[in-house]
Structure formats: structure tokens, C-alpha cells
Amino acid sequence: KEGKGAPAEGGGKAKKEGGGGKKEEEEARIDMLDIRVGQITKVGKHPNADSLYLEEIEVGEDKPRQVISGLVKFVPIEEMQGRRVVVICNLKPAKMRDVMSYGMVLCASTEAHDKVVPVSPPEGAKVGERITVAGYDQAPIEEVNPKKKILERLFPDMRTNAGGVPCYKGVPFSTSAGLVTSPVPDAHVA
């Protein structure tokens, strides 16, 4: 018995599980992301970068998240303050110009990248509510590892439709209060 059990545990079985796990990791799915309704409670210029905002965003947790966004040349600071936004919350924290960022504000941008606007949750969507995409209902992963290039593989399939609604593979981003929106039709969402 011990002879039969040992090779299966140490040999083929472990490799098969490892191989199966690797294939699952290779498939990037939109529901891997923890995308939530947020509200900017405080915004200012990044202390070390003129093109970046340093924001505090309420996403339904104990305290607001600190998030850095490269939106200074696209959105006036007055339009950022108090704005309702859509935030990816499970990105690995990243230091940007010596300041930590704990998320990412999703934006729609034109091909030329001359217009970049944060996408908006619908009125009535509660801060902290998870954004969903029909057909993708698995729980988000704990943390998106940048080495796995999940975002880079998802972004090509994230676009706004002709009406400006952000979609993943043509399926709209939604909340219990309705669809997420954007003033930029047929644009990249990232």
C-alpha cells in the first residue's frame, strides 16, 4: 500500500494538480477583479508628481482607500472632489512616486488617449457595492498579482459600447441600481 501511495502523492498526481492550477491561472476573467462603487472624499495633487492625483476613496470599508490616478491633465480637481467612481480594489498595493496606491479608478479613454474620463456608477448604487458582469459570477481573487498580467489580458476586452456603457466582451458592467456609464462611446476601459 505504501509503495502505491507514495508515487501518486509525490509524482504524477502533484504534477497534474500543478498543471491544472496553472491552466486556471492563465485564464483571466473579469470576475477575478473586485470592482466596486466608490466615492472620492478627498483629492489633491500628488506631492511628487504634477500629473497625478492623490485621492481618498470610500469603497464600503472601515476607512477610505488611498488611490493615485493619472488624471490631472484630463479632469479638473473640482470635478474629482466628491465624484462617484468605479474602483478596482484587489490590486497589489503599488508605490507611485514614493506614495502607496491601494486601487485603481476605472476610466474610459479614446484611441488617441486625448480624452480620459472616470466611468460612473448609476445613481442609487451604494458605495462599496460590487460591479458585476452577467455570466461572470465567481468570487474575486484576494489580490491581483502584477506578474500574472491579469489586467493586461482583461483590458483588450474592456470597452465602452456605442452608448458609452463599459462592457467586458460586450456584456455591460452593472449594479443593483442599473448600468455603469461613461460619456465616451467606443472607448478603451482601463
Side-chain angles (χ1 to χ4, degrees), residues 7-186:
E9 287 174 21
K13 192 173 185 182
K15 284 182 184 173
K16 282 180 192 171
E17 285 175 7
K22 200 168 194 176
K23 280 183 187 170
E24 285 175 28
E25 287 172 7
E26 287 171 5
E27 182 193 355
R29 293 174 48 97
I30 193 70
D31 52 9
M32 291 175 147
L33 303 180
D34 183 4
I35 308 173
R36 293 190 230 158
V37 174
Q39 179 142 16
I40 298 174
T41 56
K42 185 177 177 186
V43 63
K45 291 268 184 95
H46 188 294
N48 305 323
D50 293 339
S51 64
L52 301 176
Y53 283 130
L54 177 58
E55 305 136 355
E56 285 188 14
I57 305 177
E58 184 63 52
V59 291
E61 297 172 333
D62 293 340
K63 60 182 183 168
R65 279 181 182 242
Q66 179 171 284
V67 176
I68 296 171
S69 301
L71 294 169
V72 170
K73 66 182 182 178
F74 302 107
V75 184
I77 197 165
E78 308 81 51
E79 290 181 27
M80 291 295 286
Q81 183 62 48
R83 188 180 196 125
R84 287 168 52 82
V85 292
V86 172
V87 183
I88 302 177
C89 294
N90 62 338
L91 300 180
K92 183 176 181 178
K95 191 178 274 193
M96 299 176 79
R97 297 284 185 101
D98 299 322
V99 179
M100 292 302 291
S101 181
Y102 299 92
M104 177 179 162
V105 174
L106 271 184
C107 296
S109 65
T110 58
E111 289 288 335
H113 205 70
D114 55 358
K115 185 174 186 179
V116 180
V117 182
V119 300
S120 302
E123 285 301 318
K126 288 185 168 49
V127 167
E129 179 180 346
R130 186 159 178 235
I131 305 293
T132 59
V133 176
Y136 298 90
D137 52 10
Q138 293 179 17
I141 60 178
E142 189 172 325
E143 184 176 270
V144 175
N145 182 339
K147 290 180 182 167
K148 297 197 188 298
K149 306 279 186 214
I150 291 169
L151 285 181
E152 292 83 348
R153 290 183 282 147
L154 291 173
F155 284 158
D157 292 319
M158 293 170 60
R159 297 190 58 85
T160 58
N161 63 20
V165 174
C167 299
Y168 174 69
K169 294 186 176 182
V171 183
F173 285 33
S174 64
T175 71
S176 62
L179 300 178
V180 174
T181 59
S182 158
V184 190
D186 302 312

